[in-house]
Amino acid sequence: MKRMGMIFRAKANKALDRAEDPRETLDYSYQKQLELLQKVRRGVADVATSRKRLELQLNQLQSQSSKLEDQGRKALALGREDLAREALSRRAALQQQVTDLETQHSTLQGEEEKLTLAAQRLQAKVDAFRTKKETIKATYTAAQAQTRIGEAFSGISEEMGDVGLAIQRAEDKTAQLQARAGAIDELLASGVLDDQSGMHKDDIQAELDRLSGGTDVELELQRMKAELAGGTSQAIGTGGGSSSQQAIEGGTGQSQSQQPQDTPRFDKQ
């Protein structure tokens, strides 16, 4: 049970530490200090009210005492010593009350002065705490921003870590697709795989097609030469002469060696 309790307290402490924001804690502490200051000020006001009430009672008792003193003098002047004695007795009782009220008034006045001084000191502490609080909050915010920027630059933050993983996965998939495409091209070129579309040809077929295309070009070139040679010989035969005959014979021999299908035309000429 002790171990379970320790584990629970450790986890709860870690969760609270992760959830705690120093700025919010400072604001809460400042709010509690303001509430305490308000209570002290309310206490000062209550004490001042009680003191003022005592002062009013003192004024009333002193007024009654003065009145009884005047009445005793008048009674004594009229020869009523008994009335004068009664008035003085009542005045003595009032004086005792006045003395008690003055003692209470003095006590309340001292308490009021103490509370006023305490309120002033607490006000100074609250003001100092407010300034320090704002400084700490600004420093904490700046440190938090610097930490986040550093984590973003280094790639260890959660957001940048997710981005880095996404980029890595994209690069891995791209490399895999490129490797697969290259392997398929090699297999098609070697003839291991058949191209169902008929558009892809292996190296041997491409070489055969190239040679076949070159032969067709050579045959077309020979045919064009034969046609040109045949036209030249025909023009010379029309002009006559031994040189024309030799040219015809030369042309005929060349034509026979190059194009057998043109020989009957030269013999007729």
Side-chain angles (χ1 to χ4, degrees):
M1 293 298 295
K2 290 182 179 180
R3 185 178 179 184
M4 290 178 62
M6 183 180 295
I7 293 173
F8 177 77
R9 287 192 298 270
K11 291 186 177 296
N13 186 28
K14 185 177 181 180
L16 290 174
D17 185 69
R18 184 167 55 252
E20 182 183 7
D21 190 348
R23 295 168 295 185
E24 295 177 353
T25 304
L26 291 173
D27 290 336
Y28 178 76
S29 300
Y30 178 70
Q31 184 65 30
K32 298 300 291 184
Q33 290 184 8
L34 288 179
E35 293 177 359
L36 180 59
L37 179 60
Q38 187 66 24
K39 290 180 179 180
V40 173
R41 289 176 176 175
R42 189 178 297 112
V44 173
D46 293 340
V47 172
T49 302
S50 299
R51 177 182 58 79
K52 194 66 177 177
R53 187 180 298 113
L54 288 177
E55 289 179 356
L56 293 175
Q57 291 179 3
L58 283 173
N59 292 331
Q60 291 178 359
L61 291 176
Q62 288 175 357
S63 177
Q64 291 178 6
S65 177
S66 299
K67 184 177 180 181
L68 288 173
E69 184 179 1
D70 293 338
Q71 289 177 351
R73 288 178 180 178
K74 290 180 180 179
L76 186 61
L78 294 174
R80 299 290 305 272
E81 185 176 352
D82 55 341
L83 292 177
R85 185 178 291 107
E86 181 66 22
L88 292 177
S89 298
R90 293 182 179 182
R91 180 176 180 276
L94 289 177
Q95 284 297 121
Q96 184 62 38
Q97 294 180 7
V98 169
T99 302
D100 294 338
L101 289 178
E102 286 179 349
T103 302
Q104 295 179 8
H105 180 270
S106 178
T107 303
L108 288 177
Q109 191 172 8
E111 293 293 331
E112 182 181 357
E113 292 177 355
K114 290 180 180 179
L115 288 176
T116 303
L117 182 60
Q120 293 175 354
R121 292 178 178 177
L122 183 58
Q123 179 66 50
K125 290 182 178 180
V126 170
D127 294 339
F129 180 79
R130 180 180 60 187
T131 304
K132 188 174 182 180
K133 172 181 72 73
E134 295 300 329
T135 303
I136 294 175
K137 287 174 61 178
T139 305
Y140 178 83
T141 304
Q144 188 180 36
Q146 291 177 357
T147 302
R148 289 180 178 177
I149 293 172
E151 290 179 351
F153 284 156
S154 60
I156 63 175
S157 64
E158 295 181 358
E159 295 82 1
M160 296 303 296
D162 295 339
V163 173
L165 291 176
I167 294 175
Q168 184 65 35
R169 289 195 298 268
E171 291 178 351
D172 293 341
K173 289 184 178 180
T174 303
Q176 183 179 0
L177 290 176
Q178 290 177 349
R180 185 176 179 85
I184 292 174
D185 290 338
E186 291 180 358
L187 293 175
L188 289 174
S190 61
V192 177
L193 295 178
D194 295 332
D195 187 4
Q196 301 298 326
S197 64
M199 298 178 61
H200 190 274
K201 299 180 181 180
D202 55 6
D203 295 339
I204 298 175
Q205 185 64 37
E207 184 67 19
L208 292 175
D209 293 341
R210 186 181 64 79
L211 294 175
S212 177
T215 304
D216 294 339
V217 171
E218 291 295 333
L219 291 176
E220 182 68 20
L221 183 60
Q222 293 295 333
R223 187 182 65 77
M224 292 177 66
K225 287 182 177 180
E227 290 179 355
L228 291 175
T232 304
S233 300
Q234 188 175 6
I236 295 173
T238 305
S242 60
S243 60
S244 299
Q245 186 66 31
Q246 292 176 357
I248 292 172
E249 292 176 356
T252 302
Q254 185 178 4
S255 300
Q256 290 177 355
S257 62
Q258 293 180 357
Q259 292 288 340
Q261 64 272 17
D262 293 338
T263 303
R265 184 174 58 185
F266 292 122
D267 292 341
K268 184 178 179 180
Q269 184 65 29

